[in-house]
Amino acid sequence: YALTCATTGTGTTLNGLSFNKGATLVTWTATDGSANLATCSYTVSVTDVQAPAALCKPATVQLDATGTAVVTAADVDDGSNDACGIQSRSVSPSSFTCANLGENPVTLTITDNSGNTASCQTTVTVEDHINPVARCKDITVQLNASGTATITGADVDNGSTDNCSIASRTVTPSAFTCSNTGTPVDVTLT
């Protein structure tokens, strides 16, 4: 026999022969004792219709200073595989913001070299470990007729920032009396 196209070679038996993916033309030639020849040809087509094995694992990402994070397919791929090779991996969604803090479902999609696809679902946990930046300003307060005054965090805030948002502003101490007059009082903005 003679093999051409996707699989090539010659021989006298096809037993144990593996054909490559694609079309292979097989031509058999028979010769009798008088050197008379006869040929017969046929095509063996090998296709891959088996979906890849999509295997997921959970991932955790940290928001950056701009309040965003990105996860790649490799971050959630737990060893996806295919006998004929993997062409691509993708994850959706892949971008996260402060609005996504906590657990988020994502889908990993695997495409093999023959265009077969498979997917699996997992969880991406989005965390924010960046502390806010507190900015304070000095203020002067006037005591009321009872000899007291109170302030809020907003009164001493001078443009504090965070990569996500500031949930609260607290100032300590926040209440003042006549005993606080004459000398500056240090306060802490949290």
Side-chain angles (χ1 to χ4, degrees), residues 136-141 150-152 154-157 171 176 185 187:
C136 302
K137 63 183 176 185
D138 294 337
I139 64 169
T140 301
V141 296
T150 59
I151 62 172
T152 67
D155 294 327
V156 297
D157 183 41
V171 65
F176 304 94
V185 176
V187 297

Side-chain angles (χ1 to χ4, degrees), residues 125-147:
T125 302
V126 178
E127 298 178 340
D128 174 19
H129 290 289
I130 297 177
N131 291 329
V133 176
R135 292 188 178 94
C136 302
K137 63 183 176 185
D138 294 337
I139 64 169
T140 301
V141 296
Q142 302 296 321
L143 298 177
N144 62 21
S146 302

Side-chain angles (χ1 to χ4, degrees), residues 116-189:
N116 301 306
T117 63
S119 62
C120 56
Q121 287 71 44
T122 190
T123 301
V124 171
T125 302
V126 178
E127 298 178 340
D128 174 19
H129 290 289
I130 297 177
N131 291 329
V133 176
R135 292 188 178 94
C136 302
K137 63 183 176 185
D138 294 337
I139 64 169
T140 301
V141 296
Q142 302 296 321
L143 298 177
N144 62 21
S146 302
T148 63
T150 59
I151 62 172
T152 67
D155 294 327
V156 297
D157 183 41
N158 194 28
S160 299
T161 60
D162 186 67
N163 62 332
C164 285
S165 64
I166 296 176
S168 65
R169 292 170 178 81
T170 306
V171 65
T172 307
S174 62
F176 304 94
T177 65
C178 294
S179 65
N180 301 118
T181 60
T183 59
V185 176
D186 289 333
V187 297
T188 302
L189 175 65

